[in-house]
Amino acid sequence: MTVTTAGQLPDTMHDVIVVGAGVVGSAIARELARHRLRAAFVDASDDVGNGTSKANTAILHTGFDAVPGSLESRLVRDGQRRLATYAAETGIPVEPLGALLVAWDQEQLAALPALAAKAERNGYHNARLIGADEVRAREPHLGPGALGALDVPGESIICAWTATLAYATQAVRGGVDLHLNCRVESVTSGGSHHELTTSRGLLRTRYLVNAAGLYADELDRELGHTDFTVTPRRGQLIVFDKLARELVRHILLPVPTALGKGVLVAPTVYGNVMLGPTAEDLGDKEATGATAEGLDFLREKGRRIMPELLDEEITAVYAGLRAATEHDDYRIRAHARQRYIAVGGIRSTGLTASMAIAAHVTDLLADAGLDLGDGHELEPVRMPNLGEAFPRPYQRADLIAADPEYGTLVCHCERVSRGEIRDALASTVPPGSLDGLRRRTRARGGRCQGFYCGAAVRELFEARR
């Protein structure tokens, strides 16, 4: 098992290198681990899932509203089945709450039958129209004026962080090297291989997969292609305290527009309630700050959807960037003569589709001439549970009796024990920062945002470095 964060890179010829260790890049690396290949995945950041993946809205989609016949539609549908099964096997928290696509005016109400028909064309047959009375009965805290909804019972909430970490962990344990703090600065392609100049030195590989998220278009141009341009689409979100959780029973979606699915209200697997995201096309690929205008916009939308929610305390606000392009579909392209696969334009549905994208990319690599050999099953992994709907270590008397560290709380807001922090710091893919530790344990992620536990968490983190 090899994870490096500094120093010289191995002077070896790889069969495949994946650029990007977000949820899609990590899923591809995991799929490659099933074959006897010399493979690696690299990321400019100090952690996996530290770009677009970390601010995903964390919904396991059915794909009911994708463009029928698109690659995205096919991969989301396939990926939803794969990830739901994988989550059950590995302990990734998932809650199948279902979604209500709520119509607030006559125009939106008139659009619902077409959305139901679209779901049918996407192979999803459980969506149905419901009237205002049923909407009110199922969501009693909804704001006044809802005229009806499209009920999509297959939509779920999921932990996006654990999914990415599970993929990366299984990839590394399966023999794929992970190099972090390793920014790819340029690519030179010769007759038999690619040479990647990185911030940590040179890497060589016969086949190259570009899963660089926001920077996928720039790497694509290094290879001589102009198939797509990434326009970062900022999504700002407000996270309400766990006391708001009882207000919301479903994922509450608006009728979508050309800019996406719009502002939703949804519970999280951590017991909070999320309001967002905005959809702002920007020119800056690092503009992840929240703005007063964006938060005012969300409060205005939230007041219409669920007025009582706005009276609840806010735990955090944050913003993430989606890798939007000028196209309506994923831009996954094989350039067989170059032994290069571009995986671009992967939007928020990429979490759901990640395992199907990985299988698709592996097939494209084989079509491009890569000898995969026979595949094999990977050693199963079991991930720590971060979900409030499932037993946490502090609730398990048997676990605490065997190891009292699981009964010693460090973060009292999220009830994170010293044992969980210890385990995360010693894990196969350890956190490179306090934020990475938070994504693995929830420590410093509660209502005090680390005001009380911050020093203790930092001390534990620094002691292991």
Side-chain angles (χ1 to χ4, degrees):
M1 296 187 292
T2 301
V3 179
T4 73
T5 58
Q8 194 70 29
L9 296 166
D11 181 18
T12 187
M13 178 64 73
H14 295 81
D15 294 311
V16 190
I17 287 179
V18 181
V19 179
V23 68
V24 171
S26 296
I28 295 169
R30 174 190 171 276
E31 189 68 25
L32 293 174
R34 297 180 58 246
H35 303 274
R36 299 190 185 286
L37 299 168
R38 184 77 170 96
F41 60 135
V42 305
D43 200 280
S45 176
D46 62 6
D47 201 357
V48 298
N50 206 22
T52 58
S53 300
K54 72 179 179 184
N56 190 280
T57 47
I59 294 175
L60 184 57
H61 295 284
T62 60
F64 77 96
D65 57 347
V67 177
S70 65
L71 181 63
E72 181 180 21
S73 171
R74 177 167 67 84
L75 295 181
V76 168
R77 196 164 59 245
D78 181 21
Q80 192 270 346
R81 288 191 290 266
R82 290 174 183 258
L83 182 50
T85 301
Y86 184 71
E89 293 171 351
T90 59
I92 299 167
V94 175
E95 291 186 52
L97 302 179
L100 296 178
L101 199 75
V102 181
W104 295 96
D105 57 38
Q106 290 297 334
E107 184 179 355
Q108 293 176 6
L109 188 65
L112 293 183
L115 287 166
K118 191 177 191 180
E120 289 285 337
R121 295 201 302 278
N122 279 316
Y124 184 74
H125 306 296
N126 295 325
R128 67 184 183 96
L129 300 174
I130 62 175
D133 290 345
E134 185 172 347
V135 174
R136 175 66 52 194
R138 292 174 60 175
E139 282 292 348
H141 298 283
L142 206 64
L147 301 178
L150 181 68
D151 177 23
V152 189
E155 300 272 301
S156 304
I157 56 174
I158 186 172
C159 180
W161 303 336
T162 305
T164 305
L165 189 61
Y167 295 154
T169 297
Q170 217 168 12
V172 171
R173 290 183 184 176
V176 179
D177 294 339
L178 170 61
H179 302 301
L180 298 168
N181 298 314
C182 187
R183 180 182 300 278
V184 175
E185 297 171 339
S186 64
V187 180
T188 302
S189 298
S192 61
H193 67 278
H194 307 277
E195 290 191 349
L196 280 61
T197 301
T198 81
S199 53
R200 292 179 49 196
L202 194 66
L203 284 169
R204 292 180 296 145
T205 182
R206 295 168 54 228
Y207 288 80
L208 179 63
V209 177
N210 170 10
L214 290 168
Y215 300 92
D217 58 340
E218 298 177 25
L219 185 57
D220 205 46
R221 282 162 174 68
E222 285 279 330
L223 276 295
H225 306 287
T226 56
D227 186 44
F228 62 93
T229 298
V230 173
T231 300
R233 183 168 295 165
R234 181 167 58 188
Q236 302 185 48
L237 296 108
I238 299 174
V239 179
F240 290 89
D241 189 77
K242 296 175 190 293
L243 294 173
R245 177 64 183 85
E246 292 301 315
L247 293 176
V248 191
R249 300 176 180 177
H250 304 80
I251 303 164
L252 300 176
L253 301 172
V255 176
T257 69
L259 280 179
K261 295 183 172 67
V263 175
L264 60 85
V265 172
T268 74
V269 294
Y270 322 116
N272 304 91
V273 175
M274 180 173 60
L275 169 65
T278 58
E280 311 156 55
D281 286 346
L282 305 174
D284 184 352
K285 293 183 176 180
E286 297 182 358
T288 56
T291 66
E293 295 78 9
L295 299 179
D296 286 345
F297 171 79
L298 292 179
R299 279 191 283 264
E300 178 187 340
K301 293 289 185 182
R303 192 167 290 110
R304 173 74 185 273
I305 301 168
M306 186 166 284
E308 291 178 64
L309 183 61
L310 274 294
D311 295 330
E312 297 292 330
E313 293 186 14
I314 293 173
T315 294
V317 299
Y318 66 95
L321 299 173
R322 289 100 90 185
T325 74
E326 66 275 38
H327 304 285
D328 290 334
D329 203 356
Y330 295 162
R331 307 304 290 178
I332 302 178
R333 295 286 185 272
H335 303 279
R337 294 179 62 184
Q338 277 186 301
R339 304 171 312 283
Y340 164 61
I341 312 295
V343 186
I346 310 300
R347 295 167 292 196
S348 61
T349 55
L351 166 62
T352 302
S354 53
M355 297 187 82
I357 292 173
H360 180 57
V361 168
T362 305
D363 288 343
L364 293 176
L365 285 167
D367 292 343
L370 177 63
D371 182 7
L372 294 169
D374 294 332
H376 61 273
E377 294 299 319
L378 294 171
E379 192 74 22
V381 296
R382 191 71 186 172
M383 304 304 293
N385 169 47
L386 301 184
E388 289 291 310
F390 310 93
R392 296 277 305 281
Y394 78 92
Q395 296 170 309
R396 292 182 52 188
D398 60 328
L399 201 61
I400 295 169
D403 185 345
E405 289 284 79
Y406 292 115
T408 305
L409 294 187
V410 178
C411 170
H412 288 261
C413 294
E414 294 296 313
R415 297 177 178 83
V416 181
S417 68
R418 182 186 287 270
E420 291 166 276
I421 294 174
R422 175 203 62 199
D423 293 350
L425 293 171
S427 63
T428 301
V429 184
S433 66
L434 288 171
D435 283 344
L437 181 59
R438 176 173 54 84
R439 291 193 291 272
R440 286 161 175 78
T441 63
R442 297 285 295 152
R444 297 169 59 251
R447 64 188 307 177
C448 89
Q449 291 289 288
F451 183 83
Y452 290 102
C453 68
V457 174
R458 177 179 291 277
E459 184 178 357
L460 292 170
F461 177 76
E462 296 293 345
R464 291 298 301 238
R465 291 171 66 86

